[in-house]
Amino acid sequence: LGKTIASDQGAIKLQGSRDGKGFQWTEGKQLLFYPSHTENTRAWIQSEFSVDAEGLRQLTLRASKADDYGIYRILLDDVVLRDRYDFYSQNLEITEINLGQYKLQVGAHLIRFECLGKSDSSKGFNLGFDSIRLRERFEVKRTTPTDLY
């Protein structure tokens, strides 16, 4: 993630595990967002990142799911990538969420998470993630080699 992180109606914390292993988080830590969510407000967190060269990129969010996590809308540069994604799980688990492929221009981009609520089973509205991965993709359509037919 970029160095510019902002939020509204919530607190941000860098979370590590008690045993230092970090539940397979990158470098043993994740960014944890505690929204002060009520039915009348929409808490959010966002981060800016930069792209050095224009090109097609695969965006993958490496995030946690847990019993006190909420439902979020995910946006990139004000475009909705996921209208509703439920981060609830009965047990803590790490997941990689495919956010799609996008042609990104050189410069700053903003990824934003807007809290929409929580599932009935969840104890809270939290969100935890450790990275957004940008993988360069080829823009040329490839043909299948003849020896694979």
Side-chain angles (χ1 to χ4, degrees), residues 26-46:
T26 304
E27 297 182 11
K29 296 178 181 151
Q30 74 166 351
L31 195 67
L32 185 59
F33 178 54
Y34 297 97
S36 51
H37 187 78
T38 69
E39 295 304 315
N40 299 322
T41 62
R42 283 261 167 95
W44 56 263
I45 182 172
Q46 63 188 26

Side-chain angles (χ1 to χ4, degrees), residues 40-66:
N40 299 322
T41 62
R42 283 261 167 95
W44 56 263
I45 182 172
Q46 63 188 26
S47 180
E48 186 177 278
F49 64 91
S50 293
V51 173
D52 295 334
E54 179 181 317
L56 188 64
R57 301 288 195 283
Q58 168 67 44
L59 274 67
T60 303
L61 174 68
R62 188 167 162 79
S64 298
K65 296 178 103 177

